[in-house]
Amino acid sequence: MKGQMRLFTLLLSIGSITGQVSYSILEEMAKSSLVGNIAQDLGLETKRLMSGKARIYSRESGDYIELNRERGVLLVKEIIDREALCRQTTPCALHFQVILENPMEFYSVTVQITDINDNPPTFEEGELEFKISELAMIGAKFVLERAVDLDVGINGLLRYDLKPADNFALKLQNNADGNKNVEMVLQKSLDREKQEQISLVLTAVDGGEPQMSGTMLILITVLDANDNAPVFTQTTYKTTVTENSPTGTVVGTVRASDADQGSNGKITYSIINRDEVRKVFNINKENGEVILVANVDFEESRSFQINLLASDEGGLTDSCKLIVDVQDINDHKPEINIMSKSNVISEGAKVNTVVTMINVEDLDSGENGKVQCFINEYLPFALKTSTANNFYSLVTDSELDRERASEYNITVTCSDEGVPSLSSSVTLTLQISDVNDNPPVFERSSYEAYIVENNTPGLSIFTVRARDADWNQNARVSYILEDSSVNGVPVSSYVSVSADSGVIHAVRSFDYEQIKDFQFHVKAQDGGSPPLSSNVTVKILIQDQNDNPPQVLYPVQSGGSVVAEMVPRSADVGYLVTKVVAVDVDSGQNAWLSYKLQKATDRALFEVGLQNGEIRTIRQVTDKDAVKQRLTVIVEDNGQPSRSATVIVNVAVADSFPEVLSEFTDFPHDKEYNDNLTFYLVLALAVVSFLFITCLVVIISVKIYRWRQSRILYHSNLPVIPYYPPRYSDTLGTGTLQHVYNYEVCRTTDSRKSDCKFGRAGSENVLIMDPSSTGTMQRIQNEKSILDEPDSPLE
């Protein structure tokens, strides 16, 4: 660095500004020259500059300074010419802000540009001509053109030298603006006859190092007899002009007088400024009216100093100055600049979270430049003013809820206090990102569904649905079957739930006769982190299907013996022969049973009650009727399609057992051999040869045992199987099974067959026939059945 650098840091704790840094550098420094270590001076780490995406924000300083995030330093981006940047303004400085994000911060930086002596003093004209009367009095003043040095301070204009100094000397007169008027004063009378033309060299020297200078040639023509110079009525004139006044407006008028007459008394007015004044103002050479020839802008120049010259034709002159003050009008709208903003904010953001940082500028002054900013009402945001002028922060003012509003269009309006007031606005669009703050909600508080039994496994029963007010992944609902059991069995072996669609499928085929309904819980869980969930109760009701045929309980069909019902020949019409008892494990109309006589030896003799299954005579029994009657009864349920069962009822029409015996001996009978006998036979065949004789003895013994058992049955009373179950009573109902009945299956110790035991009514007539028996059948009436004896040997 070519010059000295000074640094001071002012830490602030209010608003969005956290620090202010000032540097000083020389103009004309090469590109990439170091300005200062901004990270060190602000107490920041370079990684904070990287993570915060540090950048430079500047409205009017141009691209002169750049920020190196990796090193944390400010560098010269473009060569800075102080004269082009600030002209004569001192001090000359660049003002910008360093912006950081996450969290949002900014720091104000000022870089002062120090002048170097890189511009020599210059004169607008290389030559200046004077016509001076030889009668000019000693002490006469002649205003010379000032030299202009674009540098400032010590590098600016230091002094003037005039050579040769025989007739004239220089006189400098200080002005209120700090500049000096250069006057050439006559020290010795002129004599045209001795010297008609005088050439002088005016040299302007600055105070820089190395020292620089500029020259102007002054040519003087000595005239005769004009010994009075023009004189202005005032040395300083003042006037005002409103900015944006139209061109041609007369700003003011200056007056000068000359005591001479004729051509020597004719005055000509001119502007001797060499700066921007000549582009804005002009003067009428004859009457001294100063006219506006260009637009004036208060924000660019608040006042002008016009240096005027009055000269006669004899070359005598006088000078004055006209101060023109520019009056401001409210002609600039506030300018809104977005320094940094967030396009998306989480709905879970805390109150006072900074969303956008705004800088507002109004180029007007006074009341016209005072700005107030506000946003549209009824929004959960507020606009806060920073301690730094014209800086605002848009922050959250209350909690956000994406489900109520997922986007906000925030209009920031800034108005000045001018008359009439001018305003400007900008609309900021802010998206609200979702937070998982809503659990899934089922459409119903509980569900009931029906499924017909004997369904196919995998059948879809119905669908549960839950909705989540959140968005995207937070609203993605998955369905989970909660662990529970039904009758001690995990519910997952009954149903399953599709995780994506909520469809409930049957895992197994249901049987209404085993389970009529069950319930379980389904959990709906979203995809947020952490996930939220809710439960619902689902009840499945099994609907019955006609999948079971009727089962005949009585009469019992036995393959080993024939059961016959006896009807005396004296039986009257309507005599109750027997009753077919059947049940259907289905329910509802599927269990409604009807009885029909399918086949009969004599259809004209018997009928079956449609609802109760009672078999009765429909006419008087005669001697011509056959003793052996065979009835086939079909039992049907009321299902669709209906199912049925058949039972064969043997009826003996006789008054005594011997009469019946001969008729029933030819019934087909399948002899049953005991499973133990088969076991013994197989075991005997497996025994070694020396046990063969023993096996023969065993076989013969078994045969003898069976023969003895048959003889015992033949000589004993015939077993009676009751017609009605115990506690039978006819209620004359129309149901399928109107009677209370009890039955049990008994197995005796060491028996090879099942014995059935029924209670009976005291007036029953039942026959049990063994076709192998040749003895006389006996009728048993009101006597204890052999089956009621616990030790009965009957198989």
Side-chain angles (χ1 to χ4, degrees), residues 145-164:
E145 177 186 353
R146 289 185 302 169
V148 175
D149 193 337
L150 297 180
D151 296 323
V152 295
I154 193 173
N155 297 321
L157 185 62
L158 180 61
R159 69 178 188 276
Y160 292 91
D161 292 330
L162 182 63
K163 293 181 180 180

Side-chain angles (χ1 to χ4, degrees), residues 576-629:
L576 179 61
V577 178
T578 187
K579 181 175 182 178
V580 178
V581 181
V583 295
D584 194 321
V585 296
D586 292 324
S587 65
Q589 66 178 8
N590 294 328
W592 297 350
L593 301 181
S594 61
Y595 302 84
K596 297 178 182 178
L597 184 61
Q598 187 179 34
K599 293 180 182 180
T601 303
D602 187 353
R603 280 186 173 271
L605 182 58
F606 301 101
E607 68 176 356
V608 178
L610 181 63
Q611 301 297 331
N612 55 23
E614 294 179 348
I615 301 177
R616 296 179 180 270
T617 59
I618 57 176
R619 64 174 174 81
Q620 182 69 42
V621 179
T622 65
D623 295 338
K624 295 181 181 181
D625 292 326
V627 175
K628 182 175 63 175
Q629 297 286 335

Side-chain angles (χ1 to χ4, degrees), residues 10-75:
L10 176 61
L11 296 178
L12 302 177
S13 59
I14 303 176
S16 299
I17 298 180
T18 58
Q20 180 172 323
V21 181
S22 177
Y23 298 96
S24 177
I25 63 173
L26 298 178
E27 66 169 327
E28 304 295 337
M29 289 179 65
K31 292 182 179 180
S32 300
S33 297
L34 178 65
V35 176
N37 191 323
I38 186 70
Q40 178 181 347
D41 297 335
L42 292 177
L44 300 176
E45 296 181 359
T46 55
K47 63 181 181 181
R48 169 64 180 126
L49 298 180
M50 297 291 292
S51 63
K53 299 179 182 179
R55 58 188 175 85
I56 291 177
Y57 168 79
S58 175
R59 293 185 56 252
E60 56 190 6
S61 297
D63 294 332
Y64 295 107
I65 305 296
E66 64 180 356
L67 173 63
N68 188 310
R69 297 178 188 168
E70 291 79 8
R71 296 171 54 194
V73 297
L74 296 176
L75 303 175

Side-chain angles (χ1 to χ4, degrees), residues 56 68 99 242 305 343 389 430 432 608 628 660 716:
I56 291 177
N68 188 310
I99 306 296
T242 302
Q305 178 177 310
N343 295 321
N389 293 333
L430 183 63
I432 309 301
V608 178
K628 182 175 63 175
V660 176
S716 65

Side-chain angles (χ1 to χ4, degrees), residues 693-708:
I693 296 175
T694 305
C695 292
L696 290 177
V697 173
V698 173
I699 293 173
I700 294 171
S701 299
V702 172
K703 291 292 185 179
I704 294 173
Y705 173 75
R706 289 179 61 82
W707 178 78
R708 290 183 64 188

Side-chain angles (χ1 to χ4, degrees), residues 238-534:
K238 289 186 176 182
T239 187
T240 59
V241 63
T242 302
E243 68 171 329
N244 299 328
S245 296
T247 58
T249 300
V250 176
V251 176
T253 303
V254 294
R255 290 285 186 266
S257 59
D258 194 318
D260 293 327
Q261 293 182 351
S263 60
N264 292 328
K266 186 177 181 180
I267 300 174
T268 301
Y269 299 94
S270 63
I271 297 175
I272 61 175
N273 297 70
R274 58 159 297 181
D275 50 16
E276 297 293 326
V277 173
R278 287 187 176 183
K279 298 180 181 179
V280 180
F281 300 97
N282 197 3
I283 190 170
N284 189 313
K285 294 182 178 181
E286 296 180 354
N287 58 22
E289 291 182 347
V290 178
I291 302 170
L292 187 65
V293 296
N295 184 55
V296 291
D297 191 345
F298 176 83
E299 287 70 39
E300 292 183 2
S301 299
R302 300 191 178 190
S303 65
F304 294 90
Q305 178 177 310
I306 307 174
N307 297 316
L308 302 174
L309 181 68
S311 58
D312 58 20
E313 292 186 358
L316 298 178
T317 62
D318 191 13
S319 64
C320 72
K321 56 185 177 182
L322 174 64
I323 305 299
V324 180
D325 293 326
V326 181
Q327 289 185 339
D328 183 38
I329 64 172
N330 193 25
D331 60 341
H332 289 88
K333 294 181 178 180
E335 183 179 348
I336 302 175
N337 301 286
I338 306 301
M339 298 172 59
S340 182
K341 70 173 182 177
S342 299
N343 295 321
V344 179
I345 186 173
S346 170
E347 66 174 323
K350 296 181 180 179
V351 178
N352 290 326
T353 298
V354 178
V355 176
T356 303
M357 290 195 298
I358 300 172
N359 170 243
V360 182
E361 293 290 342
D362 192 321
L363 298 179
D364 294 322
S365 64
E367 297 297 320
N368 297 330
K370 292 182 179 180
V371 178
Q372 295 292 333
C373 295
F374 57 90
I375 61 175
N376 37 331
E377 296 180 347
Y378 309 113
L379 291 179
F381 300 95
L383 200 62
K384 293 189 176 181
T385 307
S386 172
T387 53
N389 293 333
N390 303 326
F391 287 96
Y392 294 86
S393 296
L394 181 65
V395 300
T396 57
D397 189 45
S398 61
E399 294 182 353
L400 305 177
D401 188 352
R402 191 204 64 82
E403 287 68 42
R404 288 188 297 177
S406 60
E407 180 181 285
Y408 289 95
N409 290 320
I410 307 167
T411 301
V412 180
T413 303
C414 296
S415 303
D416 59 29
E417 297 183 6
V419 180
S421 176
L422 299 179
S423 65
S424 58
S425 62
V426 63
T427 299
L428 306 172
T429 300
L430 183 63
Q431 301 287 338
I432 309 301
S433 63
D434 188 43
V435 171
N436 190 27
D437 55 350
N438 290 281
V441 178
F442 283 96
E443 295 176 348
R444 297 166 58 182
S445 59
S446 62
Y447 291 87
E448 281 190 1
Y450 297 86
I451 183 172
V452 179
E453 66 172 333
N454 301 320
N455 58 285
T456 303
L459 177 68
S460 173
I461 302 176
F462 78 113
T463 302
V464 295
R465 294 190 185 279
R467 303 191 181 278
D468 196 311
D470 292 319
W471 182 74
N472 205 359
Q473 184 68 22
N474 294 332
R476 182 178 180 181
V477 179
S478 298
Y479 301 91
I480 301 171
L481 181 63
E482 293 278 41
D483 292 336
S484 61
S485 61
V486 178
N487 297 331
V489 179
V491 71
S492 58
S493 64
Y494 285 86
V495 292
S496 65
V497 180
S498 173
D500 295 329
S501 63
V503 177
I504 297 179
H505 297 273
V507 174
R508 62 165 63 175
S509 179
F510 297 109
D511 187 352
Y512 177 83
E513 288 69 40
Q514 294 181 1
I515 182 171
K516 293 180 173 53
D517 62 71
F518 62 94
Q519 66 181 19
F520 53 91
H521 298 283
V522 175
K523 179 171 72 173
Q525 180 173 289
D526 60 27
S529 179
L532 302 178
S533 63
S534 60

